[in-house]
Amino acid sequence: MAVLTFELPDGSVRDVDVRQVLNAGYAGRSQQDVAAHVAELAELGVPAPSVTPALYPVSPYLAQQTDTVAAQHARTSGEAEWALIVAADGELLLTAACDHTDRDLEVHGVAWSKNAGPDVLARRAWRLADVEARLDELTLRAWVTHDGKESEIQSGTLAELLTPGYWAEVLRSRGDLVPGTVLISGTIPMAEDVDQFAETWRVELGDPATGDTIRLAYDVIPMPEPIG
């Protein structure tokens, strides 16, 4: 399994032996907006979930702290998200994440598309307890790069998404709030005029109260053409 290492603001380190990874989907705080989004995706051929919010298990090795993501074709992209991590002692950590998804495969099944790319996580984290009182103020932003030019593609706050506390209760009710669990939050809307199929993705989770920011970035590297 993957082992992730997170540095906390006090300089201490948590090594997390990943046992299960779950990707939330259609996880906006306003489920009325989610329903409208589901209808928009249906027009693009993406199958609607049977329930919202949804939760998709993905292979544990897909949780990665990496600077590069290999892509089989040109229609893959990330999504700015937060991640909830259950550390070895049960402590809950919060960090930035980017769910890299195969958009061509998404029209055949969202769960399949989630398993076709990694969930990239930052190398720093906060204790959830330290920021939980001001969660809605935390910012979530993403940028993409094309031909060396960076553009902002996502910008919002955690008030737009279901909370880590909500998902912790869901996991607890399933018996899944156990050490080694990683839950990825679902995402906020993308700017319609920015091309998501980019050569680089960068995500920031910010805390305006302290000025602290958790960052990740990675390059999307095309795979060689197959033989045969």
Side-chain angles (χ1 to χ4, degrees):
M1 299 297 181
V3 176
L4 304 176
T5 300
F6 299 98
E7 181 182 351
L8 302 187
D10 62 6
S12 63
V13 172
R14 300 290 185 273
D15 292 327
V16 178
D17 188 0
V18 179
R19 296 299 179 185
Q20 62 176 343
V21 179
L22 300 158
N23 281 28
Y26 309 100
R29 191 90 57 95
S30 167
Q31 286 294 293
Q32 183 176 356
D33 290 346
V34 168
H37 181 53
V38 169
E40 291 172 355
L41 290 176
E43 293 179 0
L44 299 175
V46 178
S50 58
V51 298
T52 63
L55 199 59
Y56 304 103
V58 302
S59 299
Y61 68 84
L62 292 175
Q64 299 178 17
Q65 292 169 317
T66 182
D67 299 322
T68 59
V69 168
Q72 295 184 10
H73 54 79
R75 290 184 56 81
T76 69
S77 66
E79 295 178 344
E81 313 204 10
W82 54 255
L84 179 69
I85 300 108
V86 186
D89 59 358
E91 184 177 36
L92 301 181
L93 307 178
L94 186 72
T95 193
C98 194
D99 169 23
H100 203 80
T101 301
D102 187 319
R103 302 301 176 185
D104 278 355
L105 191 56
E106 195 170 35
V107 301
H108 300 287
V110 174
W112 291 352
S113 71
K114 298 296 183 186
N115 276 278
D119 287 326
V120 182
L121 289 92
R123 293 179 169 88
R124 294 184 61 241
W126 298 319
R127 295 177 180 88
L128 178 61
D130 290 344
V131 297
E132 197 159 23
R134 56 181 184 276
L135 271 174
D136 285 1
E137 301 168 18
L138 302 185
T139 60
L140 189 59
R141 303 174 69 192
W143 295 261
V144 292
T145 301
H146 296 89
D147 299 324
K149 181 181 179 181
E150 188 175 66
S151 303
E152 187 175 67
I153 189 169
Q154 293 177 280
S155 180
T157 68
L158 269 61
E160 299 176 58
L161 297 168
L162 294 171
T163 67
Y166 169 87
W167 286 114
E169 287 304 312
V170 170
L171 295 180
R172 186 176 287 112
S173 71
R174 292 163 48 106
D176 285 331
L177 194 68
V178 297
T181 296
V182 175
L183 183 138
I184 312 295
S185 66
T187 196
I188 59 178
M190 290 188 188
E192 295 181 358
D193 59 345
V194 179
D195 183 5
Q196 64 182 292
F197 303 118
E199 59 200 43
T200 299
W201 271 80
R202 182 166 68 89
V203 173
E204 291 186 356
L205 178 64
D207 183 355
T210 64
D212 194 14
T213 301
I214 294 176
R215 300 177 173 89
L216 68 87
Y218 61 87
D219 296 325
V220 181
I221 308 298
M223 292 183 187
E225 290 294 322
I227 299 173

